[in-house]
Amino acid sequence: MSWLDEVRWDDRGLVTAIAQDAVSGRVLMVAWMNRESLALTAETGIAHYWSRSRARLWKKGEESGHLQTVRELRLDCDGDVIVMQIEQAGGIACHTGRESCLFRRLVDGEWRVVDPVLKDPHAIYADPHGH
């Protein structure tokens, strides 16, 4: 039995993947992986995901250069969440040019942006929406 068979893939063949900064512990992004992207991640040491919007494999940083070097892969107790300890190239994980995709905090009943843009998305991508 392959280690990949121990993952509980959902009905679309996907599993939730969390990228966490290996030094600070901050969650940088949450995305999806399929069997091929998880295998590629383990094989290459670079995070690969499944893009649901583009319906294709996606090597994180393929356009921006902001690769995620994976230091550790973990599977949760239910087998349906992958957590990766990563080193984020350029210090930017989000297509908005921020360190983390989780840059809004609930304050007094509204979502407030609490993290600065480190680099203008137009300077990172041809398509600043990252698609």
Side-chain angles (χ1 to χ4, degrees):
M1 179 163 140
S2 165
W3 61 272
L4 288 164
D5 295 330
E6 295 181 49
V7 176
R8 284 185 50 213
W9 307 100
D10 71 9
D11 57 0
R12 297 165 297 172
L14 302 174
V15 66
T16 302
I18 299 169
Q20 183 176 30
D21 186 280
V23 176
S24 72
R26 182 167 188 195
V27 174
L28 300 179
M29 58 181 277
V30 178
W32 296 94
M33 289 182 156
N34 65 3
R35 190 179 182 98
E36 184 179 3
S37 62
L38 180 55
L40 274 170
T41 297
E43 179 184 319
T44 65
I46 301 295
H48 289 72
Y49 300 100
W50 177 257
S51 172
R52 294 176 303 165
S53 62
R54 293 175 277 185
R56 69 169 180 83
L57 281 174
W58 159 47
K59 177 175 154 183
K60 174 65 179 161
E62 65 190 13
E63 294 177 37
S64 66
H66 298 148
L67 297 173
Q68 293 177 340
T69 303
V70 178
R71 295 291 169 227
E72 180 180 81
L73 282 168
R74 289 189 182 226
L75 181 64
D76 83 327
C77 59
D78 292 326
D80 62 359
V81 176
I82 301 289
V83 176
M84 299 177 293
Q85 298 295 313
I86 61 110
E87 290 178 18
Q88 179 64 63
I92 297 172
C94 186
H95 76 275
T96 66
R98 293 177 174 86
E99 175 189 18
S100 170
C101 295
L102 301 152
F103 58 84
R104 291 178 283 201
R105 179 184 299 150
L106 186 62
V107 179
D108 297 328
E110 64 183 36
W111 294 110
R112 292 205 187 141
V113 173
V114 295
D115 292 352
V117 172
L118 302 176
K119 188 171 184 180
D120 183 342
H122 292 93
I124 300 172
Y125 302 100
D127 174 0
H129 298 290
H131 299 126

